[in-house]
Amino acid sequence: AQSVTQPDIHITVSEGASLELRCNYSYGATPYLFWYVQSPGQGLQLLLKYFSGDTLVQGIKGFEAEFKRSQSSFNLRKPSVHWSDAAEYFCAFTGGGSQGNLIFGKGTKLSVKP
Amino acid sequence: GAVVSQHPSRVICKSGTSVKIECRSLDFQATTMFWYRQFPKQSLMLMATSNEGSKATYEQGVEKDKFLINHASLTLSTLTVTSAHPEDSSFYICSAITGGRAQHFGDGTRLSIL
């Protein structure tokens, strides 16, 4: 079955510390991968995406993610977290087809300690 | 670029009334729009996929007569929750896609049925 697993429900990091949010997908081919961020009561903002090519992709707000085919992973990283990064983060993918239906993980809530 | 506007942001109404939510792509033409529902502290659940000029495709378990979707133009899709009841209270989010794979999300609508 097609699915996305975000194993960490809630992560707390200190401001200035590095961050890695984990994401694993289950799909029979190479998917199109995304990371979105959601602040409370808001919609989702696209952080970055991977379609093909360089497996290390850069996004907005200093985030990056690395696609590892052998591990079916697409982990999100940031070298130094800011208090404003506190939010919910969703990993998602879409496979083939023209509709582009996204399959989401359950999200990881990030809290930032001062 | 790729701004999606969703209106209203919050609705409170009595049980039995119908509520219309609008989703507009402001600076691009959206070939496909999606409607999601999000329960508290959970991920997004795809309700339906909407293509301009054709009938929406509903996900399994979503009542077509309850959630009416109209995609009248390349920049506007509407979701009407008919005869709303308290169990329909939720956070509804739309997204739009152009020729690429990345979905761009609105800010969501908080629907509360009393």
Side-chain angles (χ1 to χ4, degrees):
Chain A
Q2 300 175 11
S3 64
V4 176
T5 301
Q6 293 180 247
D8 304 306
I9 296 174
H10 189 184
I11 285 182
T12 300
V13 300
S14 297
E15 189 168 17
S18 63
L19 170 71
E20 181 169 33
L21 301 182
R22 295 182 291 166
C23 172
N24 292 91
Y25 66 88
S26 176
Y27 183 64
T30 300
Y32 299 93
L33 293 154
F34 307 86
W35 274 99
Y36 287 91
V37 60
Q38 183 181 33
S39 296
Q42 300 292 315
L44 275 69
Q45 182 181 23
L46 178 65
L47 285 176
L48 47 76
K49 59 185 183 287
Y50 172 78
F51 289 175
S52 65
D54 192 346
T55 57
L56 183 64
V57 293
Q58 302 297 320
I60 62 172
K61 304 184 180 186
F63 286 93
E64 67 178 25
E66 185 172 14
F67 169 61
K68 292 187 177 180
R69 185 192 308 274
S70 61
Q71 298 177 19
S72 298
S73 69
F74 189 56
N75 294 347
L76 181 71
R77 300 194 294 251
K78 186 169 184 177
S80 179
V81 170
H82 188 263
W83 64 266
S84 59
D85 293 325
E88 189 89 22
Y89 291 80
F90 292 96
C91 179
F93 81 87
T94 184
S98 60
Q99 292 296 317
N101 296 5
L102 281 173
I103 296 174
F104 282 90
K106 293 187 176 182
T108 297
K109 182 178 180 180
L110 173 65
S111 297
V112 180
K113 292 189 299 184
Chain B
V3 177
V4 175
S5 174
Q6 189 171 338
H7 179 80
S9 59
R10 185 174 182 90
V11 179
I12 302 173
C13 59
K14 294 181 180 180
S15 182
T17 58
S18 293
V19 178
K20 180 184 284 188
I21 303 170
E22 291 187 349
C23 180
R24 295 181 183 272
S25 56
L26 297 185
D27 52 0
F28 66 101
Q29 292 186 328
T31 53
T32 303
M33 288 184 169
F34 302 87
W35 288 95
Y36 294 86
R37 184 173 179 175
Q38 186 178 30
F39 293 99
K41 300 185 179 181
Q42 294 191 28
S43 188
L44 282 74
M45 180 190 77
L46 179 66
M47 298 174 65
T49 303
S50 168
N51 290 296
E52 185 265 338
S54 62
K55 290 184 178 180
T57 302
Y58 290 82
E59 295 299 300
Q60 191 172 10
V62 177
E63 298 177 61
K64 300 178 183 180
D65 296 332
K66 161 69 78 174
F67 301 100
L68 300 179
I69 292 172
N70 183 23
H71 195 157
S73 75
L74 284 172
T75 60
L76 174 64
S77 176
T78 60
L79 168 68
T80 301
V81 183
T82 62
S83 187
H85 289 92
E87 59 266 28
D88 298 322
S89 298
S90 192
F91 192 58
Y92 294 87
I93 308 176
C94 71
S95 71
I97 194 170
T98 59
R101 298 278 180 181
Q103 292 186 24
H104 302 280
F105 287 80
D107 284 337
T109 297
R110 174 72 59 193
L111 176 61
S112 300
I113 308 298
L114 305 178

